[in-house]
Structure formats: C-alpha cells, structure tokens
Amino acid sequence: MRMLEVKDLSVRYGTLDIVKNVSFSVEEGEWLMIAGPNGAGKSTVVSAIAQSVASTGDVFFCGKNVRQYRSQELARHIGVLEQNHAVNYAFSVREVVGLGRYAYSSGIFAGKSDADDDAVEQALALTGLEALADKSVLKLSGGELQRVFLAQIFAQDPDLLILDEPTNHLDLVYQKQVFSLIEEWRKEPSRAVISVVHDLSLALAYGSTAVLMDRGEAVAFGPVQEVLNADHLDAAYGMDVKAWMQSLLKQWENI
Amino acid sequence: MGRSGRKTESFSLLAYLAFACVMLAVFVLCVSVGSVSVPFSETVSLVAGALKGNAAPSTSSASIILASRLPRVICVALTGAALSVCGAAMQGLLKNPLADGSTLGVSSGASLGAVIAIAFGITFPALPFAGTMVMAMIFAFASIVIILSLAYKLDYSLSTNSIILIGVIYSMFVSSLLSLILTFASDKLHNITFWTMGSLAGSSYKNALVLLAALILCGGVLLRLHRELNAFAVGEENARHIGVNVRRVRLTVLIAVSALIGVCVSIGGTIGFVGLVTPHIVRMITGPNHAKLMPACLFGGASFLMLCDLAARMIANPLQLPIGVVTSLIGAVLFIVIFYRSRRVS
Amino acid sequence: MNTKKLLALLLALVMTLSLAACTSGSTEPAEEPAGEAEGSGEAAITVTDMTGREITLDEPATRVVALSAADCEFLYAVGAGDTLVGRGEYCDYPAEVLEVPSVQSGYDTNIEQIIALEPQVLLMSTMAQTEEQIAQLEEAGIKVVVSDAQDIEGVYTAVEMIGKLMGKEKEAEQVIVSMQAAFADLSNSTAGRGKTVYFEVSPLEYGLWTAGKGTFMNEIAEMLGMKNIFDDVEGWAEISEEQVIERNPDYIVTITMYFGEGPTPVEEIMSRTGWENVTAVKNGAILNLVDNELSRPTPRLKDGAILLNNFVVEHERELAPAA
C-alpha cells in the first residue's frame, strides 16, 4: 500500500530554489534513501515533508494531504529524527522519551496512561537506555543523546519514520546500533522509513528504494540499485564514485 | 507505578501542602513585620476579625495592618507569582534560561504603553485604571512580537547572545521613546516620572482582585500548557515533530504572558529580574519539568517577592526603597552567574 | 536597567528644578555678597555669587537668561522681569514668564541655545551644569552667576545678589523686608503651636514622598511652631504609608498638581482606605498648595507660609467649640 506520496514539492528561500519539483513515493515496508552531494536539498525535502519549512506542491500521507492533518494526528503517523540535538535543561532521559507520547495525550488535565508508561519503558529497553533512564540528558554523550531521541520516536510509534542523517556525528558503533535498531523496527507490519544519508554504502546496505538529488532536483527515483548506479552517481557527484568506493574497500584486504 | 489509568506528572498533594505552608509562613512574617511595629497577637486578632467580617476597630494599628500592609503584601505575592510564572513560561518557550520579561524588554514595552496612556489621558470611562492597564498589555504583546521577529531574523536558534543583545537594544529604544514622550507631555512629567519609579505602595484590595483574576486566567492557561512547554524547552523543532501545534501554542503563551506582565506593570510598575531569578532557583529544586516547575514558581515567586518587599520596607526604615532596587540587586548578580555558567557549558 | 536609571535621573531633575532643594544639606555656606564696588569705575558692579565666585559687570544687566524656576521668580520679584530673554523650560511663575523663549536646562542644558540669546548674565543653580559648560559660557562673554538658596536665609542672600546685579538694590531690600516682616508676624502666630504636619510631595499611587529635615517646608513648619512628622528624615524621601498612619498628623499639606480629571488631590487623600482615623483626614485638615509656594526657594515662601498659617488658624477656630 502506498504510504507517502510527494508531488512537485518545491522550496524557495527568497529567490533561491532549494528544492525544485521533486516527486517520489514510499510504499509500506520500504526504506527510501535520499542521497546526493552537499547542497542538493536533501534535508530541505525532509523538512518540507515534516512541515517545518514552507513549501509548494503536495505531500499525501495515506492519500490525505498532510496539511489537512492536525498536529497530533500527523505525529501519530509520521515521526522525524533530526541530526543534531542541543538540550539546555536538565530533563531526565525518561522525560525526553516520554515527550514522544504527546501525540496520544488528550484533554486539558490528562496525565499519562499506563499505555504511555509501557511504550516509554519499551522504547528505553529497545535502545538500551534503561540504565540511563533517570540521568540528566545534559550529561550524555552525543551518541547517547541521539539514542534518546530515537527512543522518543519509538515511543511516539509512528507508521513512517523520517531520519535526517541520523548518524552524522556518531562513531561506527553507534552507527551500526542505530541502523540495526531502525531495520528491526521497519520489519513490523505497515511501517516505512525515509532517511537522508551521506554514506552511499549505508544507502545500498539498508535501502530498498532511493531518490538521488542534485542541485535541488530529483535526478533519479526507483529501486536503490538502479538509482545509485555508476552513471547517475558520476553525473551527480562529478567523479567516479564507484571506483573510489572500491579502492577504499581494497585497503581492507591486506589487514 | 500505580495501575489507576491516568497519572499526573505534577506534585503530590503533600508537596503542594508543603509549598503552601512555606508561602504562608513568609506571608505571616511579612504581614506581622513592618515599618511600624504592631504586636503579633494584635495583628492576628485584627486579621482574624476582618476574616470573620467584623468591622475594623478605629485604631491606627487596624488601619496599618488591614488597609495598608495586608493589601500590599497580597499584591506583592500575586505579582511575584505572576511574574515568575511568566518568566518560567518564556524560558521554556524560547529554550533559554535567560529569557524574561525584563531581560527581553517586554516590561519596558509595557511601561511605555502605560506612560502613553498617562501622557495622552487614554482612559476607559468604566474603569479608571483600565487605560494604563490595557495599553500596558497591548504594548507588552507588541514588544514580544517585535523582539522575537527581530531575534528570529537575526538568529533562528535564538541563542542567549542574540536574545540579550536584542533585549538591550529594545530597552534602549523604548527608553528613548519614553524621554521623547516626556518632552512632549511635560505637563504630566511629574505623574509619569513617579509612575515609572514603580510602586506597590498604596496597593488596594481592588488591585489584588485584578491581579488574582489575571493570574487565574493567564496563569491557568500557562500551567495547563506544561507538556507543550516541556516540548519547547527541549527544542522547537522537536516539539513540532512530536505533534505540538507550535504556532498556536507559541501565540497562546505570548498572549498570556504579555497580558499578565501588562497587568503587573500597570499596577506595580516594572519590577525587574523576578521572572528570571525565581524559575532558576525553583528549577534547581524541581528540575526542568514544567508540570512541577510552573506550580512551584507560583509559590516560590510569591515568597521571593514578599521577602524582597520586606527588605525594601525595612532596610532603611522609615524610608522606603523601591522594591525594584532589591530585586534588581539580587537579580543582576544571579543573572551574571547564570550567564557565566551557560556560556561555560556551551 | 536603562529605563529605570534614566527615569531616576529625570526624577532627580524634577526634584532639583521644581523643588530646588538638595538633600545634602548646606554644603556651601551662603556668603554675603561683597557689597563694596571696586574703587575704579563708578558704575562697576561686583558681586560674589553663592559658590564664592566674583563677578564684575560694568553696568546693571539688561539681557538675562535664568535657568531655574527660582531665579526667574527672583528677577520678577525685584522688578527686573523685563530683562529676561530666556528661561529654563520648567520656569512657570509668574504667568508672563511663559512668554519668554524657553531653553533646555538641567541635564539637557543646551549651551548653543543660551549663547544664541546673547545674554550678559546667565543665572542658574549649582547642581545642573558642568565646569566645562560654565567655561564655554564665560568664553562667549556671558557672566555665569550661581544662586543656590538652601534655606530662607539663602533666599535673602540670593535676592540681594540679584538685586545688585540688576541695579535694583532698593526693590530687593523691599522684598527682603516684606519677607522678614511676614515671617516675624507668622512666628508670633499661636494657632499651629504643637500641631503635627505631614508634607506630601507625591501621592500614594506613586509611592509616598515627603519633605523632611533641611527642606523649606520643614523650616516653615518650625516657624509656625508646628512639628513635621518626618523631621527625622533627611531631605526628600520615600516613606511608608504605615508611618504616616502611625504618626497621625493633625495637618496634611500636599503639593500634588491637579490636572482637572478624577478626584482632586485633597479628595484623593480623603478617600484613602486606612486613613480614616488620621486626625487630618477626620477633620478635613488637608491643604493643597498648587503653585510650589513651599517647595521653591523664592520670595513666595512667605505666601505659602501665610496660606498654611491661615488654613491652620481657620481650622483651629472651627474645631475650638467642639473641643
């Protein structure tokens, strides 16, 4: 079933076209990778889908325009994980993860329900944060903090997960952790993932479909192997990407 | 963990009781100590008599306690609570522990509104003091909108530096407008000058009632938004992603805050730093969760300002110091400490 | 906070100019003007101003700028009002002074404005101008004369000095004599003996400010045998409402101005809750002096004193049968 459909999405900052008429779609169970060189407009596409920046064109979730969803309703369907987090106050890990349940709160004086508590505890367990649950987020490392916000999204329990370079500043251990966690999460029925990635190997390893972007435009969309073929990448990056990647890998053979 | 359906994140009844006791103790202290010393037993019997609805005896101590000191202390407590809740809300909304009506220049904006009302005789026939109050509220709101749109233009992440910079510039701008008005309305100079000195002396029960109504209404709105404020305090983008209606919540908070600051400024003048200091101290005890922070700020702010007022009344007795002098003195020092710490962390 | 500081300064300015007294007490003992003219030049006039500076004029001044409200009043009092070519913006008495072009004074003193008026003499009080400003004026050929009356004696000195400067010694003498006569008369008045009085400078709404020790109001009260309830406070000060109620004055003198809307200052005081039992409020013994009669160091201090005394006499007469 079609989960997300993006049609002619454009974003302008002043007179500058950051994103030009981008269209693609995501089916249930897919992991869509958005790839491309720096400044191609990858993150902006994601922000536009999440309604964080003004855009023209349409985004449909399950056939309904996302602009017609109420904020909480949309958050129950789509979760977004940003690449950076800076928290100024000493909230506990559990409190930040608990905010993921905001989409399910209702009424004026409503507190937390047992379902909320369970979802939070599960998310903490899934991301291995149980031991840190009562620790202040100000005292965490960058990797731990990213896991906290991943746990928040798991608690939020959306159908579609949008990730903006989720492992950008993280070392390999965390990178593997995060991608495995998301891969596990995606395997549940009626779920899908969109992520912006820099690392093309990661895109190939985890993606089922991909969009390749170059200077604001989607130059290719389809199964990941087709989109990230040598011709497309050469055109977008202006270099022989495949040869470079392979020469890098060769270094490991002698170790 | 209780299995009883919905749980609240806020304090237990016992904790509320403890806060109320502390505040009540401060209140009793502030009513029984003053410029003129009235025996404690007499104070108690006077207040008890008044509560029972007895006519006040025609003694000077009765006048002092019931007509002067009691309404003043009540107004001070309500103002302290209101300004502190506003400060906590702004600090959450802007994710910045240095945001406050006085540092941002919202209070100066409100006083500009009030001064314009005095200078040009803007009044509403039904309520004699409503002119300054409504103008103060409108200008407070306009100030917040101006300051924030400037700040967002300059620096979307609203960093501490840009907030403080814009607050300073805006305050200077407002004070130059104030002197301009003073030049044109020199016949009201006397009135305006004394008004801007800000005074809770001569507070009446009517003032207390207005403050209470504003606090229940606007403070109630702010307290109810504790989850949204938590989300904003973690980050505005994150708040949007977890389903907070960012625009609506921000507008609601700003309207409630400016209305409350407007009422406080029109009654007591600009009292700086209360909204900055109280949430900071309270946060050290309760943590940053607004479900606890906001109600604790009500009690903490009331107690803090009552104590500042007591100091203002007693330090140079029979002279009175403006209450703002005491709060600014304490506030400025704490401001530097917070600023220093926040810079060291980041 | 900037606004606060600015306004505190402005307040200080208002205090200085419209009340023209300072809390620091008598920093400068008022010196008698040096009476003798220098031997040479028959017409030469030499005076010592109230900061001790010597000023020599060839002939009585005909073009004068006066910055403080009191200086304007002195000029009119000695009959030299027509020499005024410029006045400080807060000068408002007598009414015709308002027709004289006004210049900025106090902290905003505009030297160019003053020089453009080409006065021979600039009269001002001590507090507002800087040394540099005075030097600039002297360079432009303007004689700067400082009058700084801190008490009634100081008023006499100032009147005498200005009379001499303007060639109106006789008129000045008359002003002094009439003031002395009025005060001598008043000090024999017994109506107010032992009564207490509270001087209100700013109303409750803005915080109560009063005039304590070292103010003209206090001096006049003493002259009438009345006791200022805040004679333990120095100068102008904010005091607590509680203290007023506790000290329970027999009389209240307010100098709040009335702008024609809302309750008058007297009505406002009468309506204050908690003040019902204050003797002055019970008896309606509240006097509103609207023209700075008691708050400015001018010859009109005697008018203020007479107004207050008459008010007290009348009230005591009304109260007498009841008592």
Side-chain angles (χ1 to χ4, degrees):
Chain A
M1 195 193 136
R2 178 152 295 186
M3 197 171 253
L4 190 82
E5 177 151 19
V6 176
K7 265 190 179 166
D8 294 331
L9 192 70
S10 299
V11 177
R12 286 191 123 197
Y13 287 155
T15 55
L16 214 65
D17 287 308
I18 307 291
V19 174
K20 283 177 266 183
N21 299 320
V22 168
S23 301
F24 58 85
S25 59
V26 182
E27 309 287 323
E28 253 175 43
E30 284 183 346
W31 187 331
L32 174 92
M33 295 292 180
I34 302 181
N38 276 338
K42 306 184 295 287
S43 292
T44 311
V45 167
V46 163
S47 299
I49 295 171
Q51 307 278 289
S52 300
V53 297
S55 59
T56 56
D58 294 307
V59 177
F60 297 97
F61 182 85
C62 292
K64 184 174 159 189
N65 196 316
V66 289
R67 293 197 179 94
Q68 284 158 4
Y69 282 86
R70 293 181 48 235
S71 307
Q72 280 185 318
E73 192 185 2
L74 190 63
R76 287 196 291 269
H77 293 305
I78 302 179
V80 181
L81 182 64
E82 295 165 272
Q83 48 177 311
N84 291 319
H85 303 277
V87 185
N88 287 353
Y89 297 106
F91 286 100
S92 72
V93 168
R94 188 179 271 110
E95 279 170 330
V96 173
V97 175
L99 280 174
R101 299 302 293 173
Y102 177 79
Y104 301 89
S105 64
S106 60
I108 295 160
F109 295 104
K112 296 183 292 182
S113 70
D114 290 337
D116 291 336
D117 281 341
D118 293 345
V120 170
E121 294 309 318
Q122 262 178 31
L124 286 170
L126 202 60
T127 48
L129 288 168
E130 290 142 308
L132 301 176
D134 294 309
K135 206 171 169 184
S136 154
V137 288
L138 295 182
K139 296 196 172 113
L140 301 183
S141 70
E144 288 168 334
L145 193 61
Q146 186 65 322
R147 268 195 292 157
V148 171
F149 283 91
L150 188 63
Q152 186 192 67
I153 276 214
F154 288 155
Q156 189 176 334
D157 190 24
D159 307 316
L160 174 67
L161 206 54
I162 299 181
L163 312 160
D164 186 0
E165 304 197 46
T167 58
N168 202 19
H169 306 295
L170 304 187
D171 62 32
L172 286 174
V173 182
Y174 285 118
Q175 191 168 320
K176 182 166 177 261
Q177 261 182 4
V178 168
F179 272 84
S180 319
L181 280 169
I182 294 166
E183 179 64 8
E184 283 307 306
W185 180 87
R186 187 185 61 86
K187 283 179 182 157
E188 299 285 318
S190 64
R191 283 178 175 173
V193 179
I194 298 177
S195 63
V196 172
V197 283
H198 239 101
D199 188 328
L200 297 172
S201 311
L202 277 174
L204 279 170
Y206 290 95
S208 48
T209 54
V211 174
L212 182 64
M213 291 194 65
D214 184 20
R215 276 159 282 181
E217 285 175 276
V219 291
F221 165 58
V224 67
Q225 269 86 4
E226 285 175 27
V227 170
L228 299 184
N229 71 25
D231 295 343
H232 285 153
L233 292 179
D234 289 356
Y237 287 86
M239 62 178 271
D240 191 342
V241 177
K242 190 175 172 186
W244 166 244
M245 287 304 218
Q246 282 172 338
S247 79
L248 283 180
L249 277 175
K250 232 170 235 151
Q251 310 304 314
W252 294 99
E253 285 167 10
N254 307 324
I255 293 170
Chain B
M1 235 173 280
R3 293 272 118 188
S4 52
R6 306 228 143 222
K7 294 178 285 290
T8 138
E9 292 173 80
S10 189
F11 293 113
S12 63
L13 198 65
L14 203 69
Y16 274 119
L17 222 61
F19 281 131
C21 280
V22 171
M23 191 184 71
L24 208 68
V26 174
F27 181 80
V28 168
L29 174 74
C30 291
V31 173
S32 42
V33 178
S35 179
V36 173
S37 64
V38 175
F40 185 68
S41 56
E42 196 183 348
T43 307
V44 172
S45 72
L46 277 169
V47 175
L51 284 177
K52 274 183 231 150
N54 299 347
S58 52
T59 59
S60 69
S61 11
S63 298
I64 288 169
I65 297 294
L66 296 178
S68 176
R69 204 181 291 167
L70 193 58
R72 173 173 176 151
V73 174
I74 292 175
C75 281
V76 166
L78 289 168
T79 304
L83 291 177
S84 302
V85 167
C86 285
M90 305 257 278
Q91 287 166 24
L93 187 77
L94 301 177
K95 193 188 165 182
N96 190 323
L98 287 180
D100 165 44
S102 52
T103 49
L104 281 181
V106 180
S107 309
S108 331
S111 60
L112 177 65
V115 164
I116 289 175
I118 297 173
F120 301 109
I122 299 167
T123 48
F124 297 90
L127 290 160
F129 55 92
T132 47
M133 192 171 291
V134 170
M135 286 293 283
M137 286 187 196
I138 293 172
F139 271 72
F141 183 67
S143 301
I144 297 193
V145 171
I146 291 170
I147 295 159
L148 289 187
S149 33
L150 269 177
Y152 277 118
K153 270 242 158 70
L154 208 73
D155 162 17
Y156 194 78
S157 66
L158 289 187
S159 73
T160 300
N161 289 340
S162 52
I163 287 240
I164 290 178
L165 186 68
I166 287 163
V168 168
I169 294 170
Y170 188 78
S171 297
M172 281 163 78
F173 174 67
V174 164
S175 55
S176 63
L177 284 184
L178 273 177
S179 9
L180 204 67
I181 289 165
L182 288 176
T183 315
F184 285 119
S186 52
D187 56 328
K188 303 276 177 74
L189 183 75
H190 197 252
N191 275 14
I192 293 170
T193 319
F194 278 114
W195 183 85
T196 34
M197 291 295 282
S199 178
L200 279 160
S203 303
S204 64
Y205 290 109
K206 204 162 89 187
N207 290 343
L209 225 61
V210 173
L211 277 169
L212 184 67
L215 185 59
I216 290 174
L217 209 71
C218 304
V221 167
L222 294 175
L223 254 66
R224 271 173 35 187
L225 289 172
H226 62 89
R227 269 175 288 128
E228 286 80 357
L229 286 171
N230 279 344
F232 269 96
V234 166
E236 185 178 319
E237 277 306 302
N238 190 249
R240 192 194 311 276
H241 298 327
I242 61 169
V244 175
N245 190 332
V246 170
R247 292 172 69 107
R248 198 178 61 199
V249 170
R250 186 167 47 205
L251 191 68
T252 311
V253 170
L254 293 185
I255 289 176
V257 163
S258 39
L260 211 44
I261 289 182
V263 170
C264 289
V265 166
S266 65
I267 288 177
T270 51
I271 301 174
F273 291 105
V274 189
L276 180 79
V277 172
T278 327
H280 190 75
I281 298 173
V282 170
R283 206 177 284 119
M284 290 198 268
I285 304 165
T286 64
N289 191 332
H290 288 77
K292 289 181 174 162
L293 178 65
M294 301 284 278
C297 272
L298 279 179
F299 294 107
S303 309
F304 175 70
L305 200 60
M306 279 194 285
L307 289 174
C308 285
D309 182 54
L310 185 66
R313 287 187 285 144
M314 296 308 292
I315 285 173
N317 190 36
L319 298 187
Q320 301 261 291
L321 298 177
I323 187 169
V325 169
V326 179
T327 57
S328 298
L329 213 64
I330 300 171
V333 173
L334 253 133
F335 184 89
I336 292 166
V337 171
I338 302 170
F339 191 62
Y340 177 72
R341 274 203 195 159
S342 69
R343 297 204 29 139
R344 207 177 37 183
V345 165
S346 65
Chain C
M1 230 171 82
N2 279 317
T3 328
K4 201 93 183 175
K5 195 177 160 195
L6 174 85
L7 286 156
L9 284 178
L10 274 165
L11 179 78
L13 173 66
V14 174
M15 288 295 192
T16 330
L17 293 174
S18 75
L19 309 177
C22 72
T23 50
S24 57
S26 48
T27 45
E28 291 280 347
E31 274 177 43
E32 288 298 314
E36 286 93 325
E38 300 283 317
S40 63
E42 194 86 357
I45 300 169
T46 303
V47 298
T48 307
D49 82 357
M50 295 173 78
T51 56
R53 300 158 69 250
E54 279 214 351
I55 292 107
T56 312
L57 288 180
D58 294 335
E59 50 186 19
T62 53
R63 292 182 66 83
V64 178
V65 171
L67 291 187
S68 82
D71 290 331
C72 284
E73 294 200 25
F74 288 138
L75 284 174
Y76 280 94
V78 300
D82 55 344
T83 62
L84 209 53
V85 294
R87 63 175 173 95
E89 56 196 323
Y90 300 105
C91 304
D92 58 0
Y93 190 92
E96 59 246 52
V97 78
L98 295 174
E99 285 159 27
V100 176
S102 87
V103 298
Q104 284 176 302
S105 58
Y107 288 91
D108 300 322
T109 299
N110 186 335
I111 298 291
E112 290 184 19
Q113 251 183 346
I114 296 171
I115 293 174
L117 291 168
E118 298 178 348
Q120 297 149 340
V121 169
L122 174 70
L123 281 174
M124 58 182 218
S125 57
T126 41
M127 310 181 72
Q129 280 69 30
T130 62
E131 296 278 339
E132 290 80 9
Q133 287 176 321
I134 292 175
Q136 273 183 314
L137 288 163
E138 304 259 84
E139 241 168 72
I142 299 167
K143 307 279 183 190
V144 176
V145 180
V146 176
S147 84
D148 184 32
Q150 298 292 343
D151 47 21
I152 292 172
E153 205 54 49
V155 174
Y156 297 155
T157 313
V159 170
E160 203 177 327
M161 177 185 78
I162 287 168
K164 190 147 190 262
L165 215 53
M166 309 305 298
K168 304 271 188 187
E169 286 96 335
K170 248 184 263 155
E171 288 85 346
E173 189 60 32
Q174 270 167 15
V175 170
I176 293 169
V177 167
S178 91
M179 279 179 81
Q180 282 168 334
F183 288 142
D185 210 27
L186 287 172
S187 55
N188 291 328
S189 171
T190 53
R193 287 275 148 85
K195 299 290 174 189
T196 53
V197 61
Y198 159 59
F199 294 105
E200 184 166 297
V201 178
S202 96
L204 189 57
E205 202 186 333
Y206 310 125
L208 295 174
W209 283 74
T210 197
K213 202 164 65 187
T215 61
F216 303 105
M217 296 190 198
N218 196 59
E219 207 176 350
I220 298 289
E222 276 174 8
M223 184 185 296
L224 297 177
M226 300 176 84
K227 182 178 160 52
N228 179 358
I229 60 168
F230 287 107
D231 61 3
D232 57 337
V233 170
E234 277 287 338
W236 313 90
E238 185 173 5
I239 38 85
S240 107
E241 181 185 15
E242 296 179 7
Q243 291 286 350
V244 181
I245 296 171
E246 169 72 11
R247 297 180 183 200
N248 192 17
D250 299 317
Y251 287 90
I252 296 176
V253 175
T254 168
I255 61 165
T256 302
M257 285 194 227
Y258 183 55
F259 295 108
E261 354 167 322
T264 63
V266 173
E267 286 166 355
E268 190 269 318
I269 293 176
M270 297 287 281
S271 69
R272 286 179 194 166
T273 49
W275 289 51
E276 306 86 0
N277 301 316
V278 172
T279 311
V281 174
K282 254 192 293 195
N283 297 338
I286 304 169
L287 175 65
N288 185 10
L289 291 177
V290 290
D291 283 328
N292 296 305
E293 293 96 333
L294 281 189
S295 45
R296 233 179 238 173
T298 73
R300 287 191 299 131
L301 279 175
K302 79 171 191 308
D303 303 347
I306 290 168
L307 279 172
L308 175 56
N309 187 53
N310 288 349
F311 185 78
V312 173
V313 168
E314 205 161 298
H315 257 271
E316 291 303 319
R317 195 183 300 133
E318 271 172 35
L319 289 175

